[in-house]
Amino acid sequence: MGEYQHNLDAKGRLIIPAKFREQIGSELVLTRGMEGCIFGYPLVEWAKIEAKLAKLSLTKKNARSFTRMFYSGAMEGEFDKQGRINISPTLKEHAGLKKECVIVGVSTRIEIWAKERWDDYSEEANESYDDIAESLDDIEL
């Protein structure tokens, strides 16, 4: 959990905060996320995602389309000694990453956002936060 800001360097590498690296381990899988961000999963969590996706029916067009996009954008990455990870051009384009990035911890994954997109998303979601919470019938905090 948490929100951190870091910049992409000239080689397209992004520092992942030490707090997240401790929980992720030495490698993670990055792929296309929702709302124009990148999802990052520790390998253990990625295996669980793969198991769920394997159960989707190949006869369903939406299932085929989703899995193609989800897997085609996926890349396995290792952290360098400075805690940076390379982000592929495909994923940078998907998320609109140029320089300023926001890394957010969300349950068992991280999300990487272009700062402008995160600011827009966050502002909109914050305005309807109470309404969103009320519409979720299956949680009690």
Side-chain angles (χ1 to χ4, degrees):
M1 59 187 163
E3 176 182 325
Y4 302 87
Q5 294 187 20
H6 288 283
N7 291 333
L8 278 176
D9 69 12
K11 294 182 180 179
R13 298 173 298 194
L14 181 66
I15 292 174
I16 302 300
K19 178 182 175 182
F20 293 151
R21 292 193 314 268
E22 290 169 7
Q23 296 173 8
I24 291 169
S26 61
E27 294 180 72
L28 79 161
V29 176
L30 299 175
T31 192
R32 289 179 178 96
M34 308 303 156
E35 288 88 30
C37 73
I38 297 170
F39 286 173
Y41 294 97
L43 294 181
V44 170
E45 293 301 322
W46 180 253
K48 293 175 188 177
I49 298 292
E50 285 188 304
K52 290 177 184 177
L53 291 176
K55 293 178 183 176
L56 293 175
S57 173
L58 289 176
T59 62
K60 303 286 185 188
K61 184 176 181 178
N62 284 344
R64 292 191 309 272
S65 295
F66 177 79
T67 55
R68 281 184 192 123
M69 295 307 292
F70 196 74
Y71 279 111
S72 69
M75 59 167 278
E76 213 172 302
E78 292 184 39
F79 298 110
D80 68 12
K81 291 179 182 177
Q82 286 77 40
R84 299 173 299 194
I85 191 155
N86 283 314
I87 300 178
S88 72
T90 299
L91 291 178
K92 282 191 283 191
E93 183 179 332
H94 169 76
L97 301 182
K98 293 183 178 41
K99 185 165 178 99
E100 294 182 280
C101 300
V102 177
I103 304 104
V104 181
V106 183
S107 187
T108 60
R109 71 175 182 271
I110 62 170
E111 295 182 352
I112 301 169
W113 292 77
K115 184 176 182 328
E116 318 82 59
R117 281 191 186 176
W118 174 252
D119 289 346
D120 291 344
Y121 174 82
S122 184
E123 183 179 330
E124 183 180 317
N126 194 42
E127 289 175 4
S128 57
Y129 183 70
D130 292 343
D131 293 335
I132 293 169
E134 190 172 323
S135 72
L136 300 174
D137 295 332
D138 54 349
I139 66 166
E140 292 183 26
L141 301 177

